[in-house]
């Protein structure tokens, strides 16, 4: 049987998953942690610490070394000669700057030398800004001003001009190092850079990842001339093509065939960003399904039925890499995720068991006791609060009703999520809940109640790499995303939780609005 390989170049590590698409099984997995395996790059957590003025960069040669280590490890675990389709995903927004030697160098890789040795001299910017960078506030303002305001940038590109996005990063480079910018022949995202290396040819950028640049127009899915002009001179020529998600960008290059035993003519489907890839890996690339990841911060993402952007400018729209006909996905991030849940738990001196009991003991709606559970400044919505806002009984407001405080926090989180995702015009039938807190039944029940949708827990540990492998298989082997979902997700799904009816969450939302 033929296998499909999915790669995931994330912030702290580079991972790979080989699947047997017909059997619905994972054949082999490998992962290389940058900090542990490549300490010489001085990036213990995958980025160079202590950057100036909010800069967070990484050395792209580290990603190349990791790719070599990863594939060597994978080749020991499975016969890469059986891999018949490859795709991948990268941490979103990060960018790689290459000079005029790049095109020739990537096409003529010599198996006796390392990738980093051969491609390092092609870098016109020594290090790559990544998504954690916060150095471009001024450039964001300049881009927004040139377009006539945040609303216009958001309507065109799916997001307001935002620090970590690639366009503002490019502008900062062009301003700070005009010679370096002039010497740049090609700017890649992490995803398209690695796809290019794998194919030995300059690869395009997928719409899912491309929409994280503040440069792609989400209505025609092509580079927006006004955004390009507002960002940096001559930028159009430095960008690769923006491609539909099922585009094959080349075949695995001889360098990889010789070293790791890949076969001839193995097609590589355009790489995408990690969040778009996770949408596919979680089995949520068709509208009606929503993924809510409960982590340090909470993330909400979903396939969108239409292409609209957030009028409040808090959310993001990316291309949906599970839908070649041009669909979109939304992504909304909530800073106060586990941060808030833990803050409430600690303040009340509870463990998680007591926390769950508190939820079970209190009625949905919490007898009108409401919390806006922002313990730190929030971005959805943008609120600069120093602590949670409470409204209800006097004892509740003074934290003397522990169980009610717990329910108010969790209801507040999901009611806020429901309010901030309304712009997406979704009609969720099922919510795939994932991440640390998702295993808690009482929390899952609140999610089901607030959204009026079934909640399904899915434990997909490598959803980004799985999404990449599924896209590869759907793109080049005889199968579809829907068939792959059926094969991979039925075993991974736990007990579903159904919503209870008759709870007035609109009243809670109104009470929260009044507090903000
Ligand atoms: C999304 C974002 C991060 C990165 C790294 O907008 O910045 O999720 O994709 O994972």
């Amino acid at each position: 049987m033929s296998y499909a390989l999915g790669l995931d170049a994330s912030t702290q590590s580079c991972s790979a998953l080989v699947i047997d698409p017909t059997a619905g099984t994972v054949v082999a997995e490998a992962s290389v942690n940058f900090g542990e395996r490549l300490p010489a790059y001085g990036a213990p957590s995958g980025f160079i610490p202590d950057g100036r003025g909010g800069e967070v960069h990484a050395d792209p040669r580290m990603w190349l070394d990791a790719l070599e280590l990863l594939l060597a490890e994978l080749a020991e675990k499975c016969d890469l000669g059986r891999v018949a389709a490859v795709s991948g995903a990268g941490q979103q927004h990060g960018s790689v700057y290459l000079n005029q030697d790049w095109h020739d160098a990537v096409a003529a890789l010599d198996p006796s030398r390392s990738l980093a040795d051969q491609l390092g001299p092609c870098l016109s910017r020594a290090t790559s800004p990544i998504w954690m960078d916060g150095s471009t506030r001024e450039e964001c303002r300049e881009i927004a001003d040139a377009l006539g305001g945040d609303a216009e940038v958001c309507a065109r590109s799916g997001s307001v001009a935002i620090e970590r996005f690639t366009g503002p990063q490019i502008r900062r480079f062009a301003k700070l190092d005009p010679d370096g910018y002039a010497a740049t022949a090609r700017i890649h995202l992490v995803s398209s850079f690695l796809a290019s290396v794998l194919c030995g040819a300059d690869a395009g950028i997928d719409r899912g990842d491309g929409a994280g640049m503040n440069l792609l127009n989400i209505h025609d899915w092509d580079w927006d001339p006004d955004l390009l002009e507002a960002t940096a001179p001559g930028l159009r020529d430095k960008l690769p093509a923006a491609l539909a998600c099922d585009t094959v960008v080349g075949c695995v290059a001889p360098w990889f065939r010789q070293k790791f035993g890949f076969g001839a003519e193995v097609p590589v489907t355009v790489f995408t960003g990690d969040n778009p890839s996770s949408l596919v890996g979680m089995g949520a690339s068709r509208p009606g399904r929503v993924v809510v990841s409960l982590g340090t911060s909470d993330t909400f993402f979903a396939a969108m039925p239409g292409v609209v952007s957030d009028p409040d400018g808090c959310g993001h729209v990316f291309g949906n890499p599970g839908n070649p006909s041009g669909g979109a996905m939304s992504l909304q991030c909530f800073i106060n995720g586990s941060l808030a849940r833990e803050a409430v738990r600690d303040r009340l001196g509870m463990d998680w068991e007591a926390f769950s009991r508190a939820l079970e003991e209190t009625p949905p709606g919490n007898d009108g006791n409401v919390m806006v559970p922002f313990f730190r400044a929030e971005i959805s919505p943008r609120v600069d609060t120093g602590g949670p806002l409470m409204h209800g009984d006097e004892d509740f407001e003074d934290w003397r009703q522990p169980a009610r405080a717990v329910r108010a926090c969790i209801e507040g989180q999901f009611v806020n999520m429901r309010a901030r995702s309304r712009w997406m015009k979704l009609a969720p039938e099922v919510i795939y809940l994932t991440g640390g807190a998702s295993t808690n039944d009482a929390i899952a029940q609140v999610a089901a109640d607030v959204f009026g949708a079934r909640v399904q827990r899915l434990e997909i540990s490598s959803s980004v790499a799985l999404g990449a492998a599924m896209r590869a298989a759907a793109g080049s082997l005889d199968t579809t995303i829907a068939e792959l979902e059926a094969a991979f997700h039925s075993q991974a799904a736990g007990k579903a939780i159904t919503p209870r009816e008759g709870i007035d969450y609109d009243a809670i939302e109104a009470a929260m609005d009044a507090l903000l």
Side-chain angles (χ1 to χ4, degrees):
M1 264 334 310
S2 299
Y3 296 158
L5 164 63
L7 297 170
D8 166 16
S10 75
T11 313
Q12 303 206 18
S13 58
C14 193
S15 316
L17 199 69
V18 177
I19 61 168
D20 179 336
T22 319
T25 52
V26 172
V27 175
E29 268 182 272
S31 186
V32 169
N33 180 288
F34 303 133
E36 280 167 23
R37 302 285 297 279
L38 298 162
Y41 285 104
S45 303
F47 56 87
I48 303 158
D50 306 321
R52 282 175 301 126
E55 269 187 5
V56 181
H57 283 216
D59 189 329
R61 294 173 307 167
M62 176 179 78
W63 299 328
L64 296 174
D65 281 350
L67 183 64
E68 280 191 41
L69 290 172
L70 178 74
L71 293 175
E73 209 166 279
L74 198 64
E76 284 183 9
K77 296 181 173 174
C78 91
D79 174 8
L80 294 180
R82 293 178 66 176
V83 168
V86 184
S87 191
Q91 52 172 308
Q92 290 197 259
H93 320 299
S95 43
V96 183
Y97 300 73
L98 299 145
N99 64 26
Q100 60 185 11
D101 299 333
W102 152 254
H103 290 91
D104 289 343
V106 78
L109 292 169
D110 169 0
S112 70
R113 295 174 60 207
S114 78
L115 295 172
D117 256 9
Q118 297 178 80
L119 297 175
C122 303
L123 294 169
S124 56
R125 187 179 193 177
T127 54
S128 292
I130 66 160
W131 65 280
M132 296 164 81
D133 190 287
S135 67
T136 62
R137 182 170 285 214
E138 190 176 297
E139 288 72 21
C140 290
R141 209 199 54 240
E142 290 164 351
I143 291 168
D145 285 352
L147 267 286
D150 279 337
E152 184 60 24
V153 179
C154 188
R156 289 183 191 223
S157 76
S159 304
V160 296
I162 193 158
E163 270 105 333
R164 66 186 193 282
F165 277 39
T166 322
Q169 297 292 347
I170 294 171
R171 179 165 179 80
R172 184 160 188 268
F173 180 52
K175 280 166 58 183
L176 291 184
D177 182 4
D179 293 341
Y181 179 74
T184 300
R186 185 56 96 222
I187 300 173
H188 272 295
L189 291 177
V190 177
S191 61
S192 59
F193 173 61
L194 291 176
S196 302
V197 173
L198 196 64
C199 299
D202 195 62
I205 289 180
D206 159 70
R207 294 161 174 172
D209 213 12
M213 301 174 79
N214 283 140
L215 292 172
L216 194 71
N217 189 305
I218 58 168
H219 303 286
D220 63 11
W221 298 111
D222 206 352
W223 305 120
D224 185 290
D226 299 326
L227 286 167
L228 291 170
E229 199 185 309
T231 299
L235 182 52
R236 178 69 194 85
D237 293 340
K238 300 183 197 289
L239 294 176
L243 301 175
C245 62
D246 57 350
T247 311
V248 169
V249 289
C251 288
V252 174
W255 191 92
F256 293 90
R257 285 163 44 195
Q258 215 155 315
K259 284 182 85 90
F260 306 117
F262 285 100
E265 310 281 315
V266 176
V268 177
T269 297
V270 63
F271 282 23
T272 188
D274 55 358
N275 295 296
S277 191
S278 181
L279 182 83
V280 178
M282 290 296 293
S285 61
R286 273 171 296 158
R289 300 148 184 221
V290 163
V291 180
V292 175
S293 166
L294 302 176
T296 309
S297 46
D298 292 342
T299 316
F300 179 111
F301 56 89
M304 294 168 77
V307 180
V308 284
S309 49
D310 181 4
D312 294 332
C314 300
H316 306 299
V317 179
F318 302 135
N320 172 352
N323 179 353
S325 55
M329 69 173 280
S330 56
L331 182 135
Q332 191 102 21
C333 188
F334 301 85
I335 298 293
N336 287 276
S338 289
L339 282 173
R341 291 182 286 274
E342 282 162 17
V344 168
R345 185 201 59 180
D346 295 346
R347 181 163 184 161
L348 299 170
M350 290 179 170
D351 57 16
W352 286 122
E353 221 170 283
F355 193 90
S356 304
R357 255 197 325 274
L359 279 175
E360 283 153 13
E361 281 165 8
T362 42
N366 213 21
D367 298 319
N369 292 288
V370 171
M371 184 193 295
V372 175
F374 300 162
F375 288 75
R376 293 203 192 167
E378 182 50 70
I379 54 171
S380 298
R382 286 205 183 79
V383 179
D384 230 340
T385 174
L389 307 166
M390 325 266 281
H391 174 74
D393 297 350
E394 207 179 304
D395 278 353
F396 167 76
E397 290 185 8
D398 290 339
W399 290 83
R400 286 196 299 272
Q401 295 182 336
R404 279 183 168 172
V406 169
R407 174 160 287 278
C409 168
I410 302 298
E411 287 191 336
Q413 288 188 316
F414 286 114
V415 169
N416 183 50
M417 220 177 245
R418 189 184 71 153
R420 302 308 142 198
S421 57
R422 200 165 281 129
W423 64 270
M424 302 168 195
K425 298 188 168 42
L426 309 173
E429 289 152 28
V430 56
I431 295 172
Y432 291 137
L433 208 58
T434 175
S438 67
T439 51
N440 184 311
D441 282 352
I443 293 180
Q445 184 67 59
V446 179
D449 293 346
V450 170
F451 281 97
R454 186 160 49 88
V455 166
Q456 187 84 61
R457 262 72 63 80
L458 264 190
E459 264 341 297
I460 305 270
S461 55
S462 319
S463 62
V464 176
L466 177 61
M470 287 167 68
R471 289 182 53 244
S476 305
L477 305 177
D478 188 20
T479 182
T480 62
I481 297 278
E483 282 170 0
L484 292 160
E485 278 173 9
F488 281 90
H489 294 93
S490 48
Q491 309 105 317
K495 179 170 68 84
I497 292 201
T498 48
R500 293 176 290 185
E501 292 187 3
I503 311 161
D504 187 7
Y505 285 107
D506 291 345
I508 298 184
E509 190 178 323
M512 289 173 68
D513 276 349
L515 286 171
L516 282 170

